[in-house]
Amino acid sequence: QVQLVESGGGLVQPGGSLRLSCAASGRIFSINAMGWYRQAPGKQRELVATITRLGSTNYADSVKGRFTISRDNAKNSVYLQMNSLKPEDTAAYYCNANIWRLGAPDYGDYWGQGTQVSVSS
């Protein structure tokens, strides 16, 4: 079994900062790309940022310059530093990882349970 557990969400005022964390655990052989997605009420889930095992990053245009994704391969963890938060960043944030589980024939996509980020004054 493989689990992704997120933490760090909460309520913050516009212009504030939050740091999300996600740790993968279980029977893991290897982790390829990791990333963060978000879903606001009534909207489709959208990509926020991704990072490869070697550290190459990709960001949605709406968060470039404000959010920073990073990872710690030794801890099987990925992080999202969110600065200058705006009300439109309000959403449930989901961690995603491309993981080769022990005993599996190939990599597979795994998701966390989600953590709520609310930006409001």
Side-chain angles (χ1 to χ4, degrees):
Q1 298 287 358
V2 170
Q3 279 190 318
L4 297 180
V5 179
E6 301 120 332
S7 61
L11 173 64
V12 64
Q13 292 186 339
S17 298
L18 282 175
R19 178 178 166 87
L20 304 183
S21 300
C22 172
S25 63
R27 295 170 51 82
I28 296 170
F29 174 68
S30 177
I31 301 178
N32 198 358
M34 303 183 82
W36 292 94
Y37 292 71
R38 67 186 182 187
Q39 187 168 18
K43 295 188 176 181
Q44 289 189 330
R45 189 173 297 189
E46 63 176 4
L47 179 148
V48 176
T50 61
I51 184 167
T52 68
R53 181 171 182 81
L54 296 181
S56 294
T57 59
N58 179 53
Y59 295 93
D61 287 343
S62 59
V63 307
K64 282 181 181 177
R66 299 188 298 121
F67 291 9
T68 302
I69 190 170
S70 61
R71 66 188 282 174
D72 185 333
N73 292 330
K75 295 182 178 180
N76 290 338
S77 294
V78 63
Y79 310 97
L80 186 68
Q81 178 66 45
M82 304 184 293
N83 298 329
S84 302
L85 282 160
K86 305 175 180 180
E88 51 264 44
D89 294 318
T90 295
Y93 283 70
Y94 296 89
C95 173
N96 170 265
N98 194 231
I99 297 174
W100 193 332
R101 179 177 55 84
L102 285 170
D106 205 344
Y107 285 94
D109 266 349
Y110 292 84
W111 293 88
Q113 80 285 356
T115 185
Q116 180 66 35
V117 171
S118 298
V119 184
S120 175
S121 54

